[in-house]
Amino acid sequence: TRKQLPSVEAFMEGILNFNRTLFSQAITLVESALPEHQALAQEIIARCLPHAGKSVRLGVTGVPGAGKSTFIEALGTYLTGNGHKLAVLAIDPSSSRSKGSILGDKTRMEGLSTHPNAFIRPSPSAGSLGGVARKTRETIIICEAAGFDTIIVETVGVGQSEIAVHSMVDFFLLLMISGAGDELQGIKRGIMEMADAIAVNKADGDNKSRAQIACTQIKNALHLFPLPESGWSPPAITCSSLMGDGIPGVWDTITEYIRFTQTNGYFRLKRQQQSKQIMIDSIDQRLHDHFYLNPEIKTALRQIEHKMLADQVTPYQAAAQLLELYFRAMGK
Amino acid sequence: TRKQLPSVEAFMEGILNFNRTLFSQAITLVESALPEHQALAQEIIARCLPHAGKSVRLGVTGVPGAGKSTFIEALGTYLTGNGHKLAVLAIDPSSSRSKGSILGDKTRMEGLSTHPNAFIRPSPSAGSLGGVARKTRETIIICEAAGFDTIIVETVGVGQSEIAVHSMVDFFLLLMISGAGDELQGIKRGIMEMADAIAVNKADGDNKSRAQIACTQIKNALHLFPLPESGWSPPAITCSSLMGDGIPGVWDTITEYIRFTQTNGYFRLKRQQQSKQIMIDSIDQRLHDHFYLNPEIKTALRQIEHKMLADQVTPYQAAAQLLELYFRAMGK
């Protein structure tokens, strides 16, 4: 009863001419865990690569309640209205789609989701962050080959997923809201320093002056941070996704950053560094997994760790003992 | 002409009774790269372990010019004057001792260096950060076995070495100075969020009010950060190493932190996490090195990386090709 899949050629034809059905089906293949789907997906990705890389890749994060979906809807409507072709992806390793993950709720981004030049895809279903991130990266390649010039990757501001998103985008936007106290407690340490800009959202109505105060506080805090490698000083700005105020300003900031980093060479450098880093991380992760999956290591680890925590061996000695065991087992 | 080394027993007797000559010689062994020195050093460390772990381990960092040496001299003089036994170590992978690394300048910490209850050791000579960090960790064990109740590990606020120091201490102090603009540019991103307290140094004379303003600015910035895992809110305080003002206050903050984290269990948890993390990192590093030292990988890497940067393969595909090659070579 298995349905015959289209050929690689049919997929490529569909992607490059943006046939929405074939395009979506290709992304489903990328997300699939089935080996035959993966084999086909890898072929498609390899064929898409020469057509990819020409979009602006934008990461958006913020605590729950910061209004990420409404913001993306507002920015996306602005962009599609100005002739851009926009794909919105998401990374949320904690969610499975059926549970209504970020972007999974069909009632959200209603205007954007029906626009012919917009494509919205919820997070690949639950799995390791590495796996979810890989699927999203590969989806970006297919989107770019299909002519999307702007990619937004959304994530929630509470975990390691920000680091994953940061490692696959050109520009990383942190959404905040006024009340710099409790509401910010959900932001993971270090996220603020990763941002290329911070936008204080919900600067409307009664909240407008509070948002402006928060924005000033954030500006002062950003002033304490050293200049990032890009040479770009991350600004803090206010916006209202509800009223649309400041949304063109956010986009102007992004395009200004892109121009700035394309001029000083950082844009290209960052993408190359990202590629190298994924390769290195991917190798390290596989070496790590291979080590800990070794049955002899599994047995010995607990015992040696116990000795270490009882201060009978140092962590370095524990590591050396395990490595000796591993390389002996490998050489057999 | 090789000098006969004392036996492990002689070293242990010397360390546990704090014979300064044997104690220093044991640390020299730890720092030595010679295999026979390392073998003896590892035996000594293993024998010291049951006597170690009872000190307060304190990391101190700050930009060049923040007055780290003067601060440590002031804090150290205060501590030794109150009956503490203090070891001051340093981590600076960029330096070789002959070039006068941090703590290497004999004219610095003059008062402290001659005190019978103080021990000052410059950074182990230049090498990989991992190697330097390991030697410092092992030196801490020997110092603790020799009865030092307080260990200060100093580093410069400009590189990865802060992360290494942070991973080996109970309390991490960031020294800053007034003028929150240019002077802070040298602090690496993320360092501020690692601090358990920030002390604004040089709060004396004409500079006093500026230091107090800087301290308030830093307090406001710290307020934006989420609460660390320890549950401890990092305070910002002023001090003058020159006049001694605020030095007892810094120590009170440290002891309060130690009490706080010993009560809530974080103190022990953090040390156990540190041990496990070193073991894991040490294994990962060795697996990484083993991979990249493989001659077949060396040859293939350049070629595959080139294809990747030309967008002919994805980073994941590049990683998979190299891993296949490596595991095939290993199984031979």
Side-chain angles (χ1 to χ4, degrees):
Chain A
T1 64
R2 185 175 297 164
K3 226 170 59 185
Q4 182 74 38
L5 284 168
S7 67
V8 175
E9 279 68 28
F11 271 119
M12 287 311 298
E13 166 97 17
I15 291 165
L16 294 176
N17 297 298
F18 193 46
N19 172 316
R20 203 178 261 269
T21 309
L22 281 162
F23 166 75
S24 301
Q25 206 179 344
I27 292 172
T28 304
L29 285 181
V30 166
E31 292 173 350
S32 168
L34 289 179
E36 73 258 41
H37 288 179
Q38 267 308 305
L40 186 52
Q42 290 307 313
E43 260 193 89
I44 293 168
I45 291 159
R47 296 276 293 270
C48 282
L49 264 177
H51 307 279
K54 287 174 205 83
S55 80
V56 168
R57 302 167 185 167
L58 168 62
V60 175
T61 193
V63 289
K68 286 188 296 297
S69 298
T70 329
F71 171 81
I72 292 171
E73 166 94 24
L75 179 62
T77 304
Y78 173 75
L79 289 174
T80 49
N82 282 280
H84 287 281
K85 198 168 159 186
L86 172 74
V88 182
L89 314 174
I91 287 196
D92 181 6
S94 65
S95 76
S96 70
R97 269 191 218 173
S98 55
K99 286 191 209 140
S101 66
I102 43 170
L103 295 183
D105 187 344
K106 290 285 181 195
T107 63
R108 291 160 65 207
M109 303 197 195
E110 233 172 55
L112 198 58
S113 62
T114 57
H115 195 285
N117 278 341
F119 173 73
I120 299 181
R121 189 82 172 183
S123 180
S125 43
S128 75
L129 175 57
V132 169
R134 175 181 181 152
K135 287 169 187 174
T136 304
R137 281 178 184 283
E138 293 177 337
T139 299
I140 290 175
I141 292 166
I142 293 176
C143 289
E144 289 177 340
F148 288 94
D149 61 63
T150 312
I151 315 278
I152 293 180
V153 186
E154 176 188 351
T155 191
V156 285
V158 291
Q160 288 294 97
S161 50
E162 277 69 29
I163 294 159
V165 171
H166 185 255
S167 75
M168 65 178 76
V169 297
D170 305 311
F171 185 96
F172 194 65
L173 178 73
L174 173 58
L175 271 192
M176 283 189 163
I177 37 174
S178 67
D182 292 346
E183 291 97 321
L184 298 189
Q185 298 294 319
I187 287 275
K188 212 179 133 66
R189 294 170 79 79
I191 300 300
M192 226 172 112
E193 297 197 57
M194 277 168 34
D196 297 305
I198 295 180
V200 181
N201 196 13
K202 303 190 181 178
D204 39 45
D206 290 352
N207 203 43
K208 197 163 181 176
S209 63
R210 264 182 293 160
Q212 273 155 354
I213 293 166
C215 187
T216 305
Q217 287 176 334
I218 291 163
K219 264 182 200 159
N220 290 339
L222 285 173
H223 184 67
L224 290 173
F225 294 146
L227 205 63
E229 199 193 342
S230 58
W232 166 265
S233 299
I237 45 185
T238 58
C239 67
S240 163
S241 303
L242 198 66
M243 308 303 292
D245 296 347
I247 297 296
V250 171
W251 182 245
D252 288 347
T253 300
I254 294 163
T255 50
E256 202 188 314
Y257 172 90
I258 300 296
R259 250 199 317 271
F260 180 81
T261 55
Q262 277 179 339
T263 305
N264 73 9
Y266 182 74
F267 186 88
R268 188 157 177 268
L269 178 73
K270 186 179 181 182
R271 285 209 174 171
Q272 291 198 338
Q273 283 176 342
Q274 286 176 336
S275 288
K276 278 196 198 175
Q277 201 55 54
I278 304 161
M279 187 190 79
I280 293 168
D281 291 349
S282 183
I283 290 168
D284 283 345
Q285 184 62 50
R286 175 77 187 285
L287 293 173
H288 178 97
D289 292 345
H290 192 269
F291 179 89
Y292 287 98
L293 286 172
N294 183 294
E296 292 188 48
I297 293 299
K298 276 186 179 173
T299 313
L301 181 64
R302 236 186 136 148
Q303 196 188 339
I304 291 176
E305 207 174 74
H306 186 81
K307 277 168 77 179
M308 180 181 75
L309 293 180
D311 283 330
Q312 287 163 4
V313 292
T314 69
Y316 297 105
Q317 292 163 344
Q321 287 177 25
L322 289 169
L323 283 159
E324 204 190 314
L325 201 64
Y326 174 71
F327 284 120
R328 221 189 304 135
M330 287 285 289
K332 269 176 197 164
Chain B
T1 63
R2 186 174 295 165
K3 226 172 59 187
Q4 181 75 39
L5 284 166
S7 66
V8 176
E9 280 67 30
F11 272 119
M12 286 313 297
E13 168 95 15
I15 291 165
L16 295 176
N17 297 299
F18 193 46
N19 171 316
R20 205 178 258 268
T21 310
L22 282 162
F23 166 74
S24 302
Q25 207 178 343
I27 291 171
T28 304
L29 286 182
V30 166
E31 292 173 350
S32 168
L34 288 179
E36 71 258 42
H37 287 180
Q38 267 308 305
L40 186 52
Q42 290 306 315
E43 260 194 89
I44 294 169
I45 290 158
R47 296 275 294 270
C48 282
L49 263 178
H51 306 279
K54 287 174 204 85
S55 79
V56 168
R57 302 168 186 168
L58 169 62
V60 175
T61 193
V63 289
K68 286 187 297 297
S69 298
T70 329
F71 171 80
I72 292 171
E73 167 93 25
L75 179 62
T77 304
Y78 173 75
L79 289 175
T80 50
N82 283 279
H84 287 281
K85 198 167 159 186
L86 172 74
V88 182
L89 314 174
I91 286 196
D92 181 6
S94 65
S95 76
S96 70
R97 266 188 220 175
S98 55
K99 288 191 211 141
S101 66
I102 43 169
L103 295 181
D105 185 347
K106 291 285 180 196
T107 62
R108 290 159 66 206
M109 302 196 195
E110 235 172 53
L112 197 59
S113 64
T114 58
H115 195 285
N117 277 341
F119 173 73
I120 298 180
R121 189 83 172 181
S123 180
S125 41
S128 74
L129 175 57
V132 170
R134 177 182 180 151
K135 287 169 186 174
T136 304
R137 281 178 184 283
E138 292 176 338
T139 300
I140 290 175
I141 292 166
I142 293 176
C143 289
E144 289 176 341
F148 287 93
D149 60 61
T150 313
I151 316 279
I152 292 179
V153 186
E154 176 188 353
T155 191
V156 284
V158 290
Q160 288 292 98
S161 50
E162 278 68 31
I163 294 160
V165 172
H166 185 254
S167 76
M168 66 178 75
V169 298
D170 305 313
F171 186 97
F172 194 66
L173 179 72
L174 173 58
L175 271 193
M176 283 186 162
I177 37 175
S178 68
D182 293 345
E183 291 96 325
L184 298 189
Q185 298 294 320
I187 287 273
K188 212 181 132 64
R189 295 171 80 78
I191 301 300
M192 226 173 114
E193 296 197 57
M194 277 169 34
D196 297 306
I198 295 179
V200 182
N201 197 13
K202 304 192 181 178
D204 39 44
D206 289 352
N207 204 42
K208 197 164 180 174
S209 62
R210 265 182 293 159
Q212 274 155 352
I213 293 166
C215 187
T216 304
Q217 287 175 333
I218 291 164
K219 263 182 201 160
N220 290 339
L222 285 173
H223 184 67
L224 289 174
F225 294 147
L227 204 63
E229 200 193 342
S230 58
W232 165 265
S233 297
I237 45 185
T238 59
C239 67
S240 162
S241 304
L242 199 67
M243 309 303 291
D245 297 347
I247 297 296
V250 171
W251 182 246
D252 289 347
T253 300
I254 295 164
T255 50
E256 201 187 315
Y257 172 89
I258 302 294
R259 251 200 317 272
F260 179 81
T261 54
Q262 278 180 338
T263 305
N264 74 9
Y266 182 74
F267 186 88
R268 189 156 176 269
L269 178 73
K270 186 179 182 182
R271 285 209 174 172
Q272 291 197 339
Q273 284 176 342
Q274 286 175 336
S275 288
K276 279 194 198 178
Q277 201 56 53
I278 305 159
M279 186 189 80
I280 292 168
D281 290 349
S282 183
I283 289 168
D284 283 344
Q285 185 61 51
R286 174 77 186 285
L287 294 173
H288 178 98
D289 293 346
H290 193 270
F291 179 88
Y292 288 96
L293 287 172
N294 184 294
E296 294 189 46
I297 292 299
K298 276 186 178 174
T299 312
L301 181 64
R302 237 185 134 151
Q303 196 189 340
I304 289 176
E305 209 173 73
H306 186 81
K307 278 168 75 180
M308 180 180 76
L309 293 181
D311 284 330
Q312 288 164 3
V313 292
T314 69
Y316 297 106
Q317 291 163 343
Q321 287 177 23
L322 289 169
L323 282 159
E324 204 191 312
L325 201 65
Y326 175 71
F327 284 121
R328 220 189 305 133
M330 287 286 288
K332 270 176 197 164

